[in-house]
Amino acid sequence: MGHWWVRNIVEPGKLPLLLALAAFLLTFVVTRVITRLIRAGKGPFKNVSAGGLHIHHAVPGVVLTIVGGFGAVASDRQGAGGAIAAVVFGMGVGLVLDEFALILHLDDVYWTEEGRKSVEVVVLTAALVGLLLAGFSPFGVNDLSQQELQDRGGALSTIALNFLFALVALSKGKARIAVFGVIVPLVALLGAVRLARPGSPWARRFYGRRPRARAKAALRAYRHDRRWARPRRAVQDWIGGRPDPRPARLPDRR
């Protein structure tokens, strides 16, 4: 275990990335726990306000991201300064992405249906950073044997091939499959060979003169969304909390 740690984490300089990922995930989890306690009126936590202005936690998150980012650039990846900067940066990113939907909509949609985008972005970001962390880098490692070079070359080739399949899946409107397909073998391949979602760049390019393909793609997308919408919402609610119910709209009597 110690040899693997040195070869794949310490020597390639991935320790700051690991610390940033851990700080990012821990900050997101702690932030969601605190916000859910505030929402339920439990615990000692309260919303932060200054002069009647509610201070969203994305504000200190931006500050921490700036400080950690510039600190990481100015420090050595192998030293303690780089490790500290990585932790500060990860904490800042966790706070900012937890309110990604608010930044996207320029509105306080944290506990609304639109606020689910924050959870999705956090999960996708963690997956991508995990991919970078798990990748076998051929650089920065000293005295590699021929077998180790071949193993790393094979791993990089597999990742590159999966990435190409992921690009095809992304062009077919399957963003989640594309992201996780880069990490998990064959997932991106399944997304690449199946029909594209209606309205995707692939569908507009190749289904324009194929009405049967368009109809089949629309029917498959409808069945897929109907089957997986409830489980996906359940997972999102478990991670980020259940959104507030939408207020009923009164009929327009004009």
Side-chain angles (χ1 to χ4, degrees):
M1 180 62 184
H3 177 74
W4 181 92
W5 175 265
V6 172
R7 282 293 195 185
N8 296 286
I9 301 296
V10 177
E11 286 192 15
K14 291 184 178 182
L15 182 58
L17 182 62
L18 175 62
L19 294 174
L21 177 60
F24 164 64
L25 292 175
L26 182 61
T27 301
F28 171 74
V29 171
V30 171
T31 302
R32 280 286 165 167
V33 170
I34 292 176
T35 54
R36 292 171 78 164
L37 289 174
I38 294 174
R39 186 190 190 193
K42 300 178 181 179
F45 306 103
K46 302 292 181 183
N47 288 322
V48 179
S49 300
L53 177 65
H54 174 60
I55 306 298
H56 292 274
H57 50 266
V59 176
V62 170
V63 176
L64 291 176
T65 302
I66 294 173
V67 173
F70 279 109
V73 171
S75 61
D76 182 11
R77 290 192 303 173
Q78 303 288 354
I84 295 174
V87 172
V88 173
F89 179 79
M91 294 171 60
V93 174
L95 291 173
V96 171
L97 292 188
D98 185 55
E99 292 197 319
F100 172 83
L102 183 148
I103 300 172
L104 178 64
H105 292 276
L106 293 179
D107 194 11
D108 192 356
V109 295
Y110 193 85
W111 292 119
T112 66
E113 190 72 21
E114 291 79 5
R116 295 178 185 269
K117 292 185 178 66
S118 297
V119 177
E120 294 181 357
V121 168
V122 167
V123 173
L124 293 179
T125 301
L128 289 175
V129 177
L131 170 66
L132 294 175
L133 187 63
F136 290 97
S137 175
F139 308 107
V141 182
N142 300 320
D143 301 325
L144 286 175
S145 66
Q146 190 64 30
Q147 184 62 41
E148 287 178 321
L149 284 173
Q150 292 178 358
D151 292 342
R152 289 170 185 265
L156 289 175
S157 301
T158 301
I159 292 174
L161 185 61
N162 283 338
F163 186 74
L164 292 177
F165 289 142
L167 290 179
V168 176
L170 184 63
S171 70
K172 290 189 173 185
K174 305 172 182 180
R176 297 183 184 89
I177 291 181
V179 172
F180 288 104
V182 177
I183 305 171
V184 183
L186 301 181
V187 172
L189 176 60
L190 292 176
V193 299
R194 292 174 67 85
L195 284 172
R197 292 185 64 87
S200 65
W202 186 282
R204 292 195 300 267
R205 174 65 177 82
F206 296 103
Y207 297 168
R209 299 182 179 179
R210 299 170 59 191
R212 292 184 61 183
R214 290 200 308 270
K216 189 175 181 179
L219 179 60
R220 178 169 294 179
Y222 168 76
R223 289 176 176 174
H224 177 274
D225 294 342
R226 184 177 180 181
R227 177 185 303 169
W228 293 105
R230 184 172 295 179
R232 184 173 66 247
R233 287 172 181 271
V235 173
Q236 291 174 341
D237 290 347
W238 179 75
I239 296 175
R242 186 183 299 274
D244 292 330
R246 293 181 181 272
R249 290 187 176 182
L250 296 176
D252 191 354
R253 299 181 181 275
R254 290 182 298 173

